[in-house]
Amino acid sequence: MQTRTLGKYGPTVSALGLGCMGLSFGYGPAVDRRQGIALIREAFERGITFFDTAEAYGALNEEMLGEAVAPFRDRVVLATKFGFKNGDSKSGMDSRPERIRAVAETSLKHLRTDRIDLFYQHRVDPDVPMEDMAGTVKDLIAEGKVRHFGLSEAGVESIRRAHAVQSVAALQSEYSLWWREPQKAILPLCEELGIGFVPFSPLGKGFLTGKIDENTAFDKDDFRNIVPRFSPEARKANQALVDLLGRIAGERQATPAQIALAWLLAQKPWIVPIPGTTRLHRLEENLGAGNVELAPQDLERIDTALARIVIAGDRYPAHLQQRIGR
């Protein structure tokens, strides 16, 4: 596994990380605790050193990660997040200084560690000045409880304001072949300020793997049930993108997922995607993307084809869309 450094200020991590959210949140019932721990340890054995969780994913998520990495804690980078009222993503934002400190202490316990390697604000809180939020994380860094500061789904102005108080090591936002919005303003800003970029949902919440079509049924608790881009009509319309990936993958003796991840890795050397999975064979498939090197002509071909494909459906329902880019 190759490594990458998250910008000028961030840690050095494996070129692909593991997003742990789906182990207990967002896509239906949680996996068995032992199964989750085993998957995380298998990821480490295969070279992954960057693991992502959050308070909002539930205590179990952080606890599984903490127990899993305990035998090799000093060899991995753990990222977690604060920013929701009572840790509930449905309850609105809360990045008051006292709340940030409370989350940090709880996360340290759940993760069985004495420091959080990368502490993100999960979503911008419009009621708390960025300077106050960033200042609190700066104090936690000075106290040795946090090593690096991150933001998630923040807009340009918020990033600049936070970065002026405490250097932002990484910005985590959605970025993939079917959501390229960060290319307009966010990636140029990250390059200007020396901020690493961590794409979540790099496989389009599973759609870019080619294993989902208009007839796929999701678990009743699966987040994708409320995402406009996952309506049956949108999935049918967006199949053109998956077909493109399938053709390129066939030529390269790879899978659509590997091409999608290889495309992200080719964009910038400070980009580190964090695909999530609950299955070992999917983990191994994702890691295979590191062996797929897209030539300039491959990237040009993909970009040309993308310009002709219109993606159907918003990536969030309206009430969640309001929380991003602020």
Side-chain angles (χ1 to χ4, degrees):
M1 172 70 73
Q2 296 180 348
T3 60
R4 294 186 167 200
T5 301
L6 286 170
K8 294 180 181 178
Y9 312 98
T12 296
V13 298
S14 51
L16 287 172
L18 179 66
C20 296
M21 183 188 80
L23 296 177
S24 67
F25 181 85
Y27 295 113
V31 302
D32 176 80
R33 185 185 183 108
R34 289 172 297 179
Q35 179 187 344
I37 290 169
L39 183 77
I40 291 167
R41 288 179 174 169
E42 290 287 355
F44 174 74
E45 290 299 324
R46 286 160 172 75
I48 290 181
T49 62
F50 186 34
F51 296 90
D52 181 90
T53 182
E55 179 201 29
Y57 305 157
L60 175 61
N61 207 274
E62 288 186 328
E63 289 172 354
M64 282 194 290
L65 179 56
E67 183 174 346
V69 306
F72 43 83
R73 171 63 185 97
D74 292 337
R75 299 166 65 188
V76 297
V77 172
L78 303 183
T80 192
K81 312 175 194 73
F82 64 87
F84 288 115
K85 291 179 181 178
N86 301 315
D88 183 357
S89 60
K90 298 179 181 179
S91 297
M93 276 64 72
D94 187 354
S95 283
R96 292 172 298 149
E98 60 268 31
R99 177 63 185 156
I100 296 171
R101 285 188 166 276
V103 174
E105 294 299 333
T106 301
S107 292
L108 287 170
K109 292 176 182 177
H110 288 165
L111 293 169
R112 302 187 182 190
T113 186
D114 61 351
R115 79 281 185 190
I116 297 167
D117 297 308
L118 179 54
F119 204 27
Y120 292 103
Q121 183 189 39
H122 212 149
R123 293 291 186 272
V124 171
D125 185 342
D127 296 325
V128 176
M130 294 300 291
E131 292 78 7
D132 293 352
M133 181 277 298
T136 302
V137 178
K138 182 176 183 176
D139 291 342
L140 288 169
I141 291 174
E143 294 164 20
K145 295 179 179 181
V146 171
R147 287 194 169 172
H148 302 283
F149 172 39
L151 297 171
S152 180
E153 293 278 36
V156 169
E157 181 183 355
S158 293
I159 296 168
R160 287 192 182 278
R161 287 173 60 188
H163 190 72
V165 176
Q166 170 60 47
S167 297
V168 176
L171 175 72
Q172 181 180 125
S173 292
E174 186 167 355
Y175 181 36
S176 70
L177 279 165
W178 82 338
W179 180 254
R180 302 184 300 280
E181 186 71 18
Q183 294 175 340
K184 294 179 180 178
I186 294 299
L187 291 182
L189 178 67
C190 287
E191 189 147 42
E192 173 194 339
L193 299 180
I195 297 172
F197 192 85
V198 179
F200 69 79
S201 296
L203 297 176
K205 299 178 175 65
F207 187 74
L208 300 181
T209 64
K211 305 301 181 183
I212 295 173
D213 62 24
E214 61 185 294
N215 299 312
T216 301
F218 301 116
D219 183 90
K220 63 181 178 61
D221 296 322
D222 195 306
F223 167 72
R224 289 171 289 192
N225 286 315
I226 66 169
V227 175
R229 191 162 288 191
F230 277 90
S231 70
E233 297 78 14
R235 280 181 264 162
K236 183 177 181 179
N238 293 330
Q239 186 62 38
L241 176 55
V242 176
D243 292 344
L244 167 67
L245 288 175
R247 289 193 297 273
I248 297 173
E251 296 167 6
R252 299 300 301 272
Q253 295 184 317
T255 68
Q258 290 170 343
I259 297 299
L261 291 171
W263 179 84
L264 276 173
L265 291 170
Q267 300 307 303
K268 297 290 181 181
W270 34 266
I271 287 178
V272 179
I274 51 168
T277 185
T278 61
R279 297 182 175 91
L280 180 58
H281 71 279
R282 292 288 178 226
L283 173 67
E284 293 174 336
E285 177 185 355
N286 293 342
L287 293 178
N291 299 320
V292 178
E293 187 168 345
L294 296 176
Q297 55 267 33
D298 295 322
L299 295 171
E300 183 178 356
R301 177 186 172 193
I302 292 172
D303 289 343
T304 299
L306 287 174
R308 297 195 297 265
I309 296 174
V310 178
I311 303 299
D314 293 332
R315 71 166 175 135
Y316 281 132
H319 71 285
L320 296 181
Q321 183 67 28
Q322 295 173 357
R323 294 180 173 182
I324 66 173
R326 294 199 288 202

